[in-house]
Amino acid sequence: MEINALTWGITILVIIGLLAFDFIFHVRKAHIPTIKEAAYWSAFYVGIALLFGLVFLPFGDVAHMTEYYAGYVTEKALSVDNLFVFLVIIASFKVPREDQQKVLLFGIVFALIARTAFILLGAGLINAWSDVFYIFGIILLLTAGQLLKKELTGDEGNEADNFVIRTAKKWLNTTDYYDGDKLFTKVDGKRMLTPMLLVMVAIGGTDILFAVDSIPAIYGLTQEPYIVFTATAFSLMGLRQLYFLIDGLLDRLIYLSYGLAIILGFIGVKLMLHALHENNLPFINDGENVPVAEVSTELSLLVIVVVLAITVVASLYAPKGRALRAIQNASTYSHRYVLALGEQPVPQDPEAPEAGPPALTAEDVTPEERAKLQEKYDYWSAKVAEVPQKYKDELIEHHDRYERLLQQAHGLRYDDDYRI
C-alpha cells in the first residue's frame, strides 16, 4: 500500500471527524454516561480500530497490517494502565462526575497532539541517526524496571501533585470550587482560574510522560510513521468511554503492570538487537554491524498478545485474583444490601459536588430481591473468610485504597463504617 500525502490527509480528517463527533454528541452537554452507553461506544471505537487494520489487506500489504495490529494492541494496553493515573488525578481534584468526560476528551486530544510531536521527532531522529534505537531501547528497559519497582515497593506516587500544579496554586488566582466546566470564573468582579484548568494541566503533563514511554515502544514494532500515528490515534479513541466502563475492572487487573513490564522489556531488547544489527557506534564492534538475530514483527505480535492474555487470566483466576474478586464482591453486595435496608453507606461529602440520588433505594427492592442480595452477601462474605491471611491484609488495603479513589471520582465520601 502506498502511503502518500492523500493517505495522510484522509486519515487525519477521519480522526478529527471522530473527535468532533465525540465532542458534539457526547461531551458538549455534561452528563454521566451509563454503563450501556459506555460499553456500546467502547465497542464501536475498538471495532473501527480493528477494521482499519484490514485496509492494508486488499493491497497485499500484510507486513504493515501486522505492524499496525502489534502497535495498536501495545498502545491500547498502555492506555488502559494510564487510565488509573487519570483516575488518581480526577479523584484528587474532585472533578464533578458529569464534567469528567470533558476532562478525559481534553486528555485524549492533548495526548494525540503530544504523541504526534514525538512521532515526528522520533522519525526525524531515526532518519538522521539510526543508533537512536539504543536510546529508545534504554528508555523502555528503564520504564519496565520502574513498573516492576512500583509493584514490588507499592510506591504509586501522587501524579496530581507535581511542580506545575503546586506553582499554579501558589502564584495564580484559583478558586477552590468548580463553576460547571468553565476554565475561568469571576469572583467579586475578579477573573480567576477554576480547578478545571489545573486538572487539564495535570492531565496534559502526564500525557507528555506517557508519550516518552509509548512512542519508543511502538517504534520498536514498526519504523513507518503512518503506522505509528494510526495505531497510537486509534488506541486513544474510546479511552473516555473505557474509563467509565471499567471503573471496577482496573482494580481487578492486579498483574497488568507486570505484563506491561514484560512487554516493554521485550520491545526494549528487540530495539537493542536492531540497534546492534544496524550499529554505527565506533566503540561497539569498531563501528561495524553486529551479527545478531532480530525479532520479527509477527513474533512480537504473538508475544504481546500471549503476555496480555496470561496477565488478564492470572489477574482474574490466580489465587490472589480470586481472593480480590471475593473481597470486591463482598464489598459490592454489602453496599447494595445496606441500601436495600434503607441505609446510605456512602453519605454525601458536604464539600464535594452533588452526585445525585443513590442507584438503589429500599423502595426499589422487593422482599425477594432483598433476600437474594442477602444470600449473595452471605456467600461472598464466606468466601472472604476463606481467603488466606497473607492475601487478605494486602488486598483489603489495596481494594480500600482503590475504593476511596472511586468514591472521590464519583463525588462521594468513602465511609470506613462499611468497609469489609
Side-chain angles (χ1 to χ4, degrees), residues 73-91:
V73 172
T74 301
E75 292 295 307
K76 197 68 175 179
L78 289 170
S79 296
V80 171
D81 190 51
N82 296 346
L83 282 179
F84 184 80
V85 180
F86 286 167
L87 174 63
V88 172
I89 293 173
I90 285 172

Side-chain angles (χ1 to χ4, degrees), residues 298-319:
E298 291 80 8
L299 178 58
S300 298
L301 177 58
L302 179 62
V303 169
I304 291 165
V305 171
V306 169
V307 169
L308 286 177
I310 292 174
T311 298
V312 172
V313 171
S315 294
L316 299 179
Y317 296 105

Side-chain angles (χ1 to χ4, degrees), residues 64-332:
H64 277 159
M65 182 182 72
T66 306
E67 290 174 359
Y68 166 79
Y69 282 126
Y72 172 75
V73 172
T74 301
E75 292 295 307
K76 197 68 175 179
L78 289 170
S79 296
V80 171
D81 190 51
N82 296 346
L83 282 179
F84 184 80
V85 180
F86 286 167
L87 174 63
V88 172
I89 293 173
I90 285 172
S92 298
F93 283 96
K94 297 182 180 178
V95 181
R97 186 70 168 169
E98 63 273 14
D99 293 323
Q100 290 176 11
Q101 291 200 90
K102 191 161 291 186
V103 172
L104 291 167
L105 184 61
F106 167 82
I108 290 168
V109 172
F110 191 90
L112 188 55
I113 293 171
R115 295 184 192 197
T116 300
F118 276 86
I119 289 168
L120 297 175
L121 177 62
L125 286 172
I126 290 170
N127 289 330
W129 184 40
S130 62
D131 291 308
V132 72
F133 285 110
Y134 282 117
I135 297 176
F136 285 177
I138 291 171
I139 288 173
L140 294 183
L141 291 172
L142 289 174
T143 303
Q146 288 173 348
L147 283 172
L148 289 175
K149 180 183 177 182
K150 182 184 74 172
E151 288 300 312
L152 294 174
T153 62
D155 181 17
E156 297 175 358
N158 186 357
E159 287 81 357
D161 183 23
N162 57 50
F163 174 76
V164 176
I165 298 301
R166 293 197 302 271
T167 302
K169 286 182 176 179
K170 183 176 181 180
W171 297 104
L172 300 179
N173 292 321
T174 60
T175 64
D176 294 326
Y177 57 88
Y178 292 89
D179 186 5
D181 59 3
K182 295 179 181 178
L183 303 181
F184 300 90
T185 188
K186 284 190 176 181
V187 179
D188 298 329
K190 188 176 181 180
R191 188 176 177 85
M192 299 184 71
L193 305 176
T194 70
M196 183 66 72
L197 183 60
L198 298 182
V199 175
M200 292 186 173
V201 170
I203 292 284
T206 55
D207 280 335
I208 293 175
L209 295 178
F210 294 157
V212 173
D213 298 334
S214 67
I215 298 307
I218 194 170
Y219 265 122
L221 300 168
T222 177
Q223 295 178 39
E224 171 55 58
Y226 179 77
I227 303 297
V228 175
F229 174 76
T230 51
T232 301
F234 282 112
S235 73
L236 293 170
M237 294 291 174
L239 199 61
R240 175 183 63 80
Q241 293 87 348
L242 195 62
Y243 172 87
F244 290 95
L245 180 63
I246 63 174
D247 258 4
L249 184 58
L250 281 173
D251 193 32
R252 294 282 301 280
L253 298 177
I254 54 178
Y255 296 122
L256 179 61
S257 290
Y258 290 108
L260 290 178
I262 292 172
I263 290 172
L264 292 179
F266 169 77
I267 298 175
V269 171
K270 181 179 186 293
L271 280 171
M272 298 297 282
L273 291 174
H274 179 73
L276 288 170
H277 193 267
E278 304 291 331
N279 178 64
N280 292 302
L281 296 179
F283 52 86
I284 297 178
N285 199 33
D286 295 326
E288 299 295 327
N289 296 343
V290 180
V292 294
E294 290 201 76
V295 181
S296 67
T297 304
E298 291 80 8
L299 178 58
S300 298
L301 177 58
L302 179 62
V303 169
I304 291 165
V305 171
V306 169
V307 169
L308 286 177
I310 292 174
T311 298
V312 172
V313 171
S315 294
L316 299 179
Y317 296 105
K320 189 175 180 179
R322 292 200 304 270
L324 180 58
R325 181 181 179 220
I327 291 169
Q328 283 184 315
N329 285 337
S331 177
T332 297

